[in-house]
Amino acid sequence: MHSMYRNTKIICTIGPATESQKMIEQLVKNGMNIARLNFSHGTHQYHKTLIQNIRVVSKRLHQPVAILQDLQGPRIRIGILTEPVEVVRNEKIIIVPESEFKSLAGKRGLGKILPVQYEELYKDLHKDSTILIDEGFIELEVVKIVGSHIHAQVVTSGIVKTNKGINTPGKELSADPLTKKDRDDIRFGIEHGVDSIALSFVSCADDMVVLKKEVMKRARGGITPALIAKIERQAAMDDIENIIVESDAVMVARGDLALECSAAEVPVMQKRIVGACIRNAKPVIVATQMLDSMIENPRPTRAEVSDVANAVIDHADCVMLSGETASGSYPLEAVAMMEKIIEETEASPYDDAPREFARMFHMSGDRHAIAEAAVDIAITEQASALVIASLTGATIRAVAQLRPAMRILGLVTEEALARQLIFSWGVNPLVIAKQQSVGKLIEVCLSTLEKTKIAKKGDKIVLVAGQKVGIPGTTNFVQVQEL
């Protein structure tokens, strides 16, 4: 079983290689904290089965596992082809709306034709626009636009297959932030209790407002899914601070970001986004190609190892595996390797936050003042753990923002909130019954520490709570306890 006390959390994408309960159990044992379901692929029935499998395994292992629903968003994709189409450098081709493709395919004199699912792509492009297909492996340049038909010349050869992604660097698309499919998927996700929903291709803060309204419309009371903004466009970078404010968490989606902007800019963008999220006490996920070579090989490249380690040193809350665990040949090895890299890096001094870290990311308000005081006291008293009781999780996240050296135990009364707190750096969430007094809360806290072996006899812990126990927003109590 993996270490419970790793600070940086691991997200694994579940797919054909890992869909069974047996494989999901092994992923959890090897280090998975959060399961990502990619709604660009698979039916609702398929995802329902995955959710059931994840919940069964979580219950069996007595270990919370959060579920991240990743929406497709306004993704431009190649439509349905009867067979793959090879395109060769300097060749002329035509891209047409999928609704017109059948009537045009095979007509003499038109040459090779590719269907596109986004019917209005022609409105967003012009002569000399660049079109990238299949993660940029195929490149086209627009020669002219005639009606709804995009005439292009092949710059980089390749084989075009059904459903492959299309990017248009430097061009903002007029598509709605939520497609009809996304709205159907949100309804499904809420009905089946997903813990978070990620929106792809966010352009501005308003896109997250649209998502929030849709989720609230579908919500049935209680804790709603955390909303995650995926940053993969230049426009999103231009509005990053506002997007963070409107989101519960942020994902640095480096694959499309590198295609929409420039691959050389992505490392600096990553650091900027991670820093901005920590400053705003919002979880941040670093994603895409972290151990990409392990899709086919049992060992990662040295560059990939350094990539994961650098995300840990930057204090990212989560790191994510995509194809490595969804469809790769070595999914269990990939998770185990990621955990090993994280543990080695966290054991080094390079990811340690200086005591002044809190001042670097200072936020006003009673909650953050209490969090800073608690961490300061824990350092002075050489406490082994910070134990925070919270009804909403806000104080727990405020403590996690400061990246303290000691363990963070978050005591909450709802399982759904506990799963959402898994996204936060260093937080080990535990569900307890509601308590009527601070005395009872301390009692429960000490017995929980004993059971979980987070602290041992003689250790000091710092307890953070509200003297008005059971009332949200009343955290005002910090106490040192010796076991």
Side-chain angles (χ1 to χ4, degrees), residues 98-322:
E98 190 167 27
S99 59
E100 300 179 31
F101 178 65
K102 280 186 181 176
S103 63
L104 295 171
K107 276 197 174 181
R108 285 187 178 183
L110 288 180
K112 291 176 183 174
I113 300 175
L114 299 176
V116 63
Q117 293 175 11
Y118 175 40
E119 300 267 316
E120 298 186 342
L121 180 61
Y122 67 93
K123 292 182 180 178
D124 297 323
L125 301 179
H126 54 71
K127 186 178 183 295
D128 298 329
S129 291
T130 297
I131 298 173
L132 302 176
I133 302 174
D134 192 9
E135 298 186 7
F137 290 114
I138 298 166
E139 182 178 342
L140 313 176
E141 185 179 288
V142 177
V143 176
K144 63 182 178 180
I145 295 172
V146 180
S148 59
H149 298 179
I150 302 164
H151 294 251
Q153 183 169 328
V154 180
V155 177
T156 307
S157 307
I159 297 174
V160 182
K161 297 177 183 176
T162 294
N163 214 37
K164 288 298 179 183
I166 294 175
N167 293 86
T168 55
K171 298 297 170 192
E172 286 311 311
L173 303 180
S174 53
D176 290 336
L178 287 177
T179 64
K180 182 182 181 301
K181 171 177 162 52
D182 292 331
R183 293 178 195 275
D184 289 342
D185 290 343
I186 289 167
R187 175 190 51 75
F188 170 86
I190 290 173
E191 282 176 4
H192 292 85
V194 298
D195 302 299
S196 60
I197 299 174
L199 179 59
S200 299
F201 298 101
V202 171
S203 290
C204 61
D206 285 346
D207 290 352
M208 295 307 294
V209 174
V210 170
L211 175 62
K212 195 176 298 182
K213 284 179 181 173
E214 184 69 21
V215 168
M216 294 312 294
K217 187 170 79 178
R218 305 282 185 185
R220 298 171 294 177
I223 291 170
T224 55
L227 305 183
I228 301 173
K230 292 175 67 177
I231 308 302
E232 43 200 336
R233 284 179 169 169
Q234 181 59 53
M237 289 303 302
D238 296 339
D239 197 31
I240 190 65
E241 296 289 345
N242 292 322
I243 289 171
I244 291 170
V245 169
E246 293 294 345
S247 307
D248 297 310
V250 167
M251 183 189 294
V252 190
R254 302 181 304 178
D256 282 291
L257 191 59
L259 296 175
E260 295 282 342
C261 304
S262 157
E265 296 175 73
V266 170
V268 175
M269 287 179 170
Q270 175 179 316
K271 289 183 183 296
R272 182 183 159 201
I273 296 166
V274 171
C277 286
I278 296 173
R279 196 163 58 246
N280 286 277
K282 301 285 179 80
V284 58
I285 302 159
V286 175
T288 322
Q289 295 181 326
M290 298 214 81
L291 296 176
D292 195 58
S293 68
M294 289 193 76
I295 291 174
E296 296 179 355
N297 303 308
R299 296 176 189 273
T301 67
R302 309 303 179 266
E304 288 167 342
V305 172
S306 294
D307 184 36
V308 175
N310 273 309
V312 175
I313 291 166
D314 287 344
H315 298 104
D317 295 80
C318 308
V319 286
M320 192 173 100
L321 296 169
S322 300

Side-chain angles (χ1 to χ4, degrees), residues 323-341:
E324 298 96 328
T325 52
S327 56
S329 301
Y330 302 94
L332 301 180
E333 292 84 349
V335 187
M337 175 57 69
M338 182 166 263
E339 175 162 81
K340 188 175 180 184
I341 297 164

Side-chain angles (χ1 to χ4, degrees), residues 12-27 32 35-38 41-43 45-57 60 322-328 331-332:
C12 296
T13 304
I14 308 300
T18 48
E19 61 194 16
S20 68
Q21 285 186 26
K22 183 181 177 184
M23 286 299 288
I24 290 168
E25 182 168 332
Q26 286 303 312
L27 287 175
M32 177 177 77
R36 170 181 175 252
L37 308 184
N38 185 356
H41 309 285
T43 63
Q45 184 55 51
Y46 177 69
H47 288 295
K48 181 180 177 181
T49 302
L50 293 185
I51 291 169
Q52 289 170 342
N53 287 348
I54 293 160
R55 295 296 187 222
V56 166
V57 168
R60 186 189 301 151
S322 300
E324 298 96 328
T325 52
S327 56
L332 301 180

Side-chain angles (χ1 to χ4, degrees), residues 355 358-359 368-388 399 402 404-407 459-465 476-482:
R355 191 162 182 172
R359 280 73 182 172
H368 293 281
I370 294 240
E372 286 185 28
V375 172
D376 272 343
I377 291 167
I379 294 169
T380 303
E381 293 291 328
Q382 296 184 313
S384 62
L386 282 149
V387 184
I388 308 106
V399 170
L402 306 177
M406 59 291 303
R407 292 167 182 168
D459 281 355
K460 288 180 180 177
I461 61 109
V462 173
L463 174 65
V464 182
N476 61 356
F477 175 86
V478 180
Q479 187 178 85
V480 179
Q481 286 276 336
E482 188 170 322

